Amino acid sequence: MPTLAKIFSRMCFGLGAASLAVLAAQPAQAQAADTSFFVTSVGIGNGANLGGLAGADNYCQTLAQAAGAGAKTWRAYLSTQEADGKPAVNARDRIGKGPWQNSKGVVIAKDVAELHGNNNLTKQTGLTEKGEVNNGIGDNPNRHDVLTGSQPDGTAFAAGEDRTCKNWTSSTQGSAMLGHADRTGIPSPTMSSWNAAHPSRGPEGGCSQTDLISTGGAGLLYCFAAN
């Protein structure tokens, strides 16, 4: 039969281990709560039909909530074009003032100007809401294309040529401007652009899930905490 001293020792050891476990969990929880930027780990699944800006924002909010960062107001980095009497919306105007950091505490950009200038977004820093590195060039499958509908400075395209898959309501005809989350691709002046690398295209019209996958994407989004 264990002595009183041994029982007490085991209790202390158990309490100590439990305390260490709690302390070990705290940094991860704090990092998740402080996250203010991520690349979605998966797309909505309906091509570029996101349910408009509201649907995309809700998707970012839902993923952030599941990851422990839902206390903030999350917005998808997307522009829309002037149509049906409604003015254009610029992605850069929707995401707050910054700074923004990933789940590891690495700052992506301190403000809107730096985000659209010399930012710190790379394959290694553009983590998902789960804190994981997203697939890029050289990975199977490549998923570096991210929906933006934006010009390099974060503003919307002029009305006319579709660059937003009908303002994020089409999964058939149209086209969406895509960025490269890993900042790489076939050598060209735009392939290192995180938000304006090339338009979507494909046999199903340019906006379907199959079309987005065919050029190295999955309908992923950039999500920013606006507050």
Side-chain angles (χ1 to χ4, degrees), residues 18-212:
S19 298
L20 287 173
V22 170
L23 290 172
Q26 286 176 342
Q29 292 170 348
Q31 286 175 349
D34 290 341
T35 302
S36 49
F37 165 84
F38 61 86
V39 182
T40 61
S41 59
V42 294
I44 288 178
N46 193 26
N49 183 354
L50 311 174
L53 291 179
D57 290 345
N58 183 66
Y59 188 60
C60 285
Q61 191 76 45
T62 299
L63 292 183
Q65 182 73 39
K72 300 179 177 67
T73 299
W74 288 86
R75 300 274 170 76
Y77 182 91
L78 296 171
S79 294
T80 58
Q81 295 170 267
E82 181 182 357
D84 302 323
K86 297 180 181 179
V89 175
N90 301 321
R92 65 181 292 140
D93 298 333
R94 312 186 68 246
I95 58 173
K97 298 180 178 179
W100 300 281
Q101 65 182 44
N102 67 19
S103 61
K104 304 300 183 185
V106 177
V107 175
I108 301 299
K110 68 177 185 295
D111 53 31
V112 172
E114 185 173 77
L115 180 65
H116 295 92
N118 188 26
N119 66 44
N120 188 36
L121 178 58
T122 67
K123 178 181 179 180
Q124 299 304 320
T125 63
L127 302 178
T128 71
E129 77 281 357
K130 299 178 181 179
E132 300 170 346
V133 175
N134 185 48
N135 282 11
I137 290 287
D139 298 321
N140 187 22
N142 172 27
R143 304 190 313 152
H144 70 170
D145 286 350
V146 180
L147 299 168
T148 71
S150 302
Q151 301 186 82
D153 65 353
T155 59
F157 286 89
E161 190 171 8
D162 188 11
R163 285 292 179 266
T164 59
C165 287
K166 296 179 173 57
N167 286 336
W168 315 114
T169 63
S170 174
S171 60
T172 54
Q173 297 299 313
S175 180
M177 182 54 71
L178 307 166
H180 283 169
D182 62 354
R183 313 296 288 272
T184 60
I186 299 171
S188 84
T190 65
M191 287 301 110
S192 64
S193 176
W194 70 279
N195 67 342
H198 61 85
S200 65
R201 58 187 182 276
E204 295 186 356
C207 296
S208 73
Q209 189 72 11
T210 298
D211 290 337
L212 298 181

Side-chain angles (χ1 to χ4, degrees), residues 8-21:
F8 182 74
S9 176
R10 290 174 184 173
M11 289 176 62
C12 289
F13 177 79
L15 290 171
S19 298
L20 287 173

